[in-house]
Amino acid sequence: MKKPAPQKPLSENKHLLRWIEKMVELCKPAGLHWVSGTKEEYDRLCAQLVEGGTFQKLNPKLWPGCYYARSDAMDVARVEDRTYICSLSRDGAGPTNNWVNPFEMRKKLRELFNGAMKGRTMYVLPFSMGPVGSPMSQIGVQLTDSPYVVVSMRIMARIGLPVFKEIDKGEKRVVPCLHSVGAPLAPGAKDVPWPCNKEKYIVHFPETREIWSYGSGYGGNALLGKKCFALRIASNMARDEGWMAEHMLILGVESPQGEKTYVAAAFPSACGKTNFAMMIPPKAFSDQGWKIWTVGDDIAWLKPDAEGKLRAINPEYGFFGVAPGTGAKTNPNAMATLAKNSIFTNVALTPEGGVWWEGMTDKPPPRLIDWQGNEWEPGCGRPAAHPNARFTSPASQCPTIDANWEKPDGVPISAIIFGGRRPTTIPLVFQAFNWGSGVYVGATMGSEMTAAAAGTIGKVRRDPMAMLPFCGYHMGEYFRHWITMQKRLSETPRVFHVNWFRKGADGKFIWPGYGENMRVLKWIVDRARGRAVGAETPIGWVPRYADLEWKGLDFDKARFDELQAFDRKAWRAEVIGHEELFLDLHDRLPKEMIYERELLICRM
């Protein structure tokens, strides 16, 4: 491929130009490419990736505009043990994050990045998290030697010329992000399809708002706008500036009368976030005119407006979804979203130039090429797609995308929903008594482990607000920030907890889930709007059987009562379990958390 002529810088911001100059000096790339973000540039880079063997163009009749990538077998997921929060003090990072002295870490990173981009092009990639120019958006610039990252970021964030224009206004702080796959190329050496390094570092410097990532080309390790910026760095910004950066989906519920209510929901992984964000209401509801609209499936930035009402934006521009388990039965809207202009990584290839993964269809195709490039057939004893295989798709292609999803000042949030995967103890749904008890509910949520390792089955892994791997500072301080947010709000959203995964004595799920979750969501919306009743229990308000809409579902009162049962003995064990997390955070745990726990014990 012909080498492009050197480009003129696309920004006049002297601070940005100076930083790039210093990083070029450090990383020593063979060339510099300023990313304009145009379709022509995207197509050219995809063609380059096809030529280099990183991408395979899928059958345009079956999968128009789609590409397939297969990563190195040692670069397939987020690497939590190599992810660091290098705050100035160890206390700043807290006990739930990995910490290294920032001075030592910078020294280490400078050694790793010295000459790391030799033989490669350094791409200058400006990106906006949130609509360009929105008062709720933030800006970053990622320097990367991976064209795969550039094309993926074009789907996941707003990039290119409009962002350079914003940077040149000099009104917003720019978050500098440096990324290298850590595989310099010697002159004349042949590149590999997926360059990466065994040594990996994903490092955040909260005070200086910097991200340095080395050694991985995969997902959130390399697309630095995602978890690194939108959660770990943004959570620090949010604490300092009085807003919230949360691991939450945002959806709108539209009633037959056209009234729209927006809710945000935090679920840990494997708890059905994307399915919930793109839910299809059951026939009895859709026939009446109920609709669900998707604003975002993964991250929400929430900020009080001038009147003190909490509003939210989805800072992302695309979906980076787990492919296995996504199918026409579980999530037809996701399947429609990813049907074109998408990038698939580590799924399986079909002989006719398409893709497949477990859960996409009931019956697997007779022959496939698996995610590692080997022949695969049903019953061979290994998965065709990697369990963390991904699709990267534009959010605008989602059939249920909300008309207001790019509204610069966000959508108003009426309810916040927490949820985990709990086979026992936790009922289908309950509402916290107030904001303080709602923060306690979010802080103590968790999922039961299903791994068959000795002693782990049935143990609850606490994942406060689904933010344990993503909070960029001390978790105790994070709870305090949630509590103090109440002072900034004229009206707090109502807080709920759901559990779709409670099991009966036969070991089977009691609740059918998926679209039927709409029945619970309707009660939540009606409660948030102040027009539904609930019964009081020690843990919060719960619906009675008659308070839910049952039309079109055969679900008797006895099963519902089993689903909602409050077991004092089980809750005693639950409250003792809360203490484990609190012990870890004791030095910074807000006293309100202790009070809420005492109140819960008194009510029991």
Side-chain angles (χ1 to χ4, degrees):
M1 195 166 254
K2 204 162 88 238
K3 206 174 171 188
Q7 268 180 302
K8 197 171 123 258
L10 297 179
S11 169
E12 292 167 5
N13 185 300
K14 62 179 196 292
H15 304 293
L16 176 63
L17 295 172
R18 178 74 192 111
W19 175 64
I20 292 167
E21 208 177 287
K22 279 158 75 174
M23 294 305 107
V24 165
E25 211 175 288
L26 175 67
C27 302
K28 303 175 180 54
L32 195 67
H33 177 98
W34 291 75
V35 176
S36 63
T38 62
K39 175 79 167 76
E40 294 73 30
E41 178 188 63
Y42 174 83
D43 291 341
R44 198 168 62 247
L45 286 172
C46 287
Q48 185 185 315
L49 285 158
V50 169
E51 194 180 307
T54 306
F55 268 2
Q56 197 166 321
K57 196 170 171 55
L58 295 178
N59 184 331
K61 286 188 180 133
L62 302 172
W63 298 89
C66 291
Y67 293 92
Y68 171 76
R70 190 181 288 134
S71 80
D72 187 286
M74 66 169 187
D75 193 20
V76 291
R78 272 200 327 266
V79 279
E80 301 297 354
D81 59 322
R82 308 301 295 161
T83 302
Y84 298 89
I85 305 293
C86 293
S87 47
L88 293 174
S89 76
R90 182 190 284 273
D91 272 357
T96 58
N97 284 313
N98 299 315
W99 181 84
V100 171
N101 178 310
F103 175 76
E104 286 170 26
M105 183 56 90
R106 280 183 194 281
K107 193 164 171 280
K108 174 75 185 163
L109 289 172
R110 288 196 160 277
E111 286 166 13
L112 289 171
F113 275 94
N114 189 1
M117 295 189 189
K118 277 182 182 170
R120 299 192 182 278
T121 299
M122 177 191 274
Y123 297 91
V124 180
L125 173 68
F127 61 95
S128 174
M129 298 309 290
V132 177
S134 155
M136 293 176 79
S137 296
Q138 300 288 345
I139 291 171
V141 172
Q142 179 167 345
L143 304 181
T144 178
D145 54 6
S146 165
Y148 171 87
V149 165
V150 179
V151 295
S152 298
M153 281 288 279
R154 188 176 183 270
I155 297 172
M156 290 307 300
R158 295 140 178 104
I159 69 164
L161 295 167
V163 186
F164 278 130
K165 260 189 204 162
E166 278 296 301
I167 292 170
D168 286 352
K169 285 182 192 169
E171 290 166 6
K172 278 190 176 175
R173 182 172 186 165
V174 177
V175 171
C177 310
L178 180 63
H179 167 254
S180 172
V181 292
L185 274 176
K190 187 168 164 37
D191 203 0
V192 293
W194 190 274
C196 62
N197 195 303
K198 273 185 184 150
E199 198 169 0
K200 293 173 176 54
Y201 284 90
I202 296 93
V203 184
H204 311 74
F205 297 99
E207 288 86 2
T208 52
R209 313 282 197 243
E210 289 171 82
I211 304 163
W212 292 55
S213 173
Y214 177 86
S216 171
Y218 195 89
N221 307 328
L223 312 181
L224 300 186
K226 200 160 175 56
K227 308 294 194 195
C228 293
F229 187 161
L231 290 177
R232 296 191 191 102
I233 290 294
S235 60
N236 280 276
M237 292 174 153
R239 176 196 54 186
D240 297 347
E241 296 166 15
W243 50 283
M244 303 161 88
E246 300 298 328
H247 189 208
M248 289 180 174
L249 64 92
I250 311 165
L251 64 79
V253 183
E254 189 181 329
S255 74
Q257 293 74 39
E259 174 192 71
K260 205 184 264 188
T261 309
Y262 291 98
V263 308
F267 304 154
S269 58
C271 291
K273 258 175 98 180
T274 306
N275 290 351
F276 193 60
M278 300 179 189
M279 189 192 336
I280 293 178
K283 191 173 182 311
F285 277 76
S286 47
D287 285 353
Q288 289 174 45
W290 287 92
K291 293 187 181 86
I292 294 289
W293 298 104
T294 310
V295 178
D297 79 322
D298 194 38
I299 297 170
W301 286 357
L302 305 108
K303 207 174 198 173
D305 63 15
E307 278 77 53
K309 175 92 179 154
L310 196 62
R311 302 185 76 88
I313 61 165
N314 168 13
E316 300 189 289
Y317 199 46
F319 301 128
F320 182 65
V322 175
T326 305
K329 277 186 185 171
T330 58
N331 196 336
N333 284 322
M335 292 304 288
T337 305
L338 58 79
K340 58 182 183 180
N341 307 319
S342 297
I343 297 167
F344 299 95
T345 308
N346 290 344
V347 299
L349 274 176
T350 66
E352 57 275 14
V355 287
W356 188 85
W357 50 80
E358 279 72 16
M360 183 172 166
T361 55
D362 287 341
K363 200 175 166 213
R367 294 186 76 75
L368 293 167
I369 301 293
D370 74 8
W371 73 276
Q372 294 193 78
N374 303 315
E375 291 275 339
W376 183 95
E377 53 187 45
C380 68
R382 60 179 199 277
H386 187 274
N388 192 39
R390 297 281 178 158
F391 60 86
T392 311
S393 307
S396 57
Q397 291 180 183
C398 179
T400 54
I401 199 76
D402 189 80
N404 295 323
W405 88 282
E406 290 197 275
K407 212 174 168 187
D409 54 352
V411 296
I413 297 297
S414 299
I416 288 173
I417 304 169
F418 295 116
R421 183 179 272 270
R422 301 293 301 275
T424 61
T425 314
I426 312 294
L428 173 66
V429 60
F430 66 93
Q431 180 189 347
F433 290 116
N434 51 36
W435 183 258
S437 78
V439 175
Y440 184 87
V441 165
T444 54
M445 72 186 244
S447 290
E448 262 185 40
M449 295 185 194
T450 52
T456 62
I457 287 183
K459 185 169 164 59
V460 178
R461 180 184 177 267
R462 301 287 161 194
D463 189 357
M465 284 81 168
M467 278 288 280
L468 198 66
F470 308 119
C471 183
Y473 58 99
H474 195 295
M475 209 80 203
E477 292 291 336
Y478 170 76
F479 296 160
R480 181 170 307 289
H481 179 56
W482 263 81
I483 291 162
T484 55
M485 279 302 293
Q486 186 174 14
K487 296 174 190 162
R488 296 191 173 94
L489 298 170
S490 55
E491 184 190 331
T492 54
R494 306 292 179 263
V495 181
F496 299 82
H497 189 287
V498 297
N499 174 28
W500 318 126
F501 303 99
R502 193 154 177 176
K503 290 180 177 177
D506 58 0
K508 291 180 179 162
F509 293 121
I510 306 172
W511 183 246
Y514 299 113
E516 303 300 344
N517 295 340
M518 180 71 211
R519 299 173 192 279
V520 175
L521 190 53
K522 180 185 181 295
W523 181 78
I524 287 172
V525 165
D526 287 341
R527 284 293 293 177
R529 294 253 177 208
R531 56 175 180 235
V533 291
E536 193 173 324
T537 72
I539 55 170
W541 285 295
V542 298
R544 295 163 308 189
Y545 183 71
D547 300 331
L548 261 59
E549 170 67 72
W550 295 110
K551 196 178 170 191
L553 179 66
D554 179 19
F555 199 87
D556 60 40
K557 186 175 181 300
R559 278 164 81 206
F560 179 74
D561 290 345
E562 185 186 355
L563 201 49
Q564 287 291 94
F566 173 76
D567 178 342
R568 278 175 201 276
K569 206 173 166 193
W571 268 91
R572 277 175 67 98
E574 178 69 14
V575 173
I576 290 164
H578 296 169
E579 189 70 358
E580 266 189 69
L581 172 75
F582 288 178
L583 285 171
D584 286 341
L585 307 175
H586 67 96
D587 56 331
R588 302 268 184 113
L589 187 71
K591 57 185 182 301
E592 290 88 343
M593 294 285 98
I594 309 295
Y595 299 156
E596 287 296 341
R597 185 170 172 272
E598 292 302 311
L599 283 168
L600 176 57
I601 291 167
C602 291
R603 289 194 299 267
M604 280 162 52

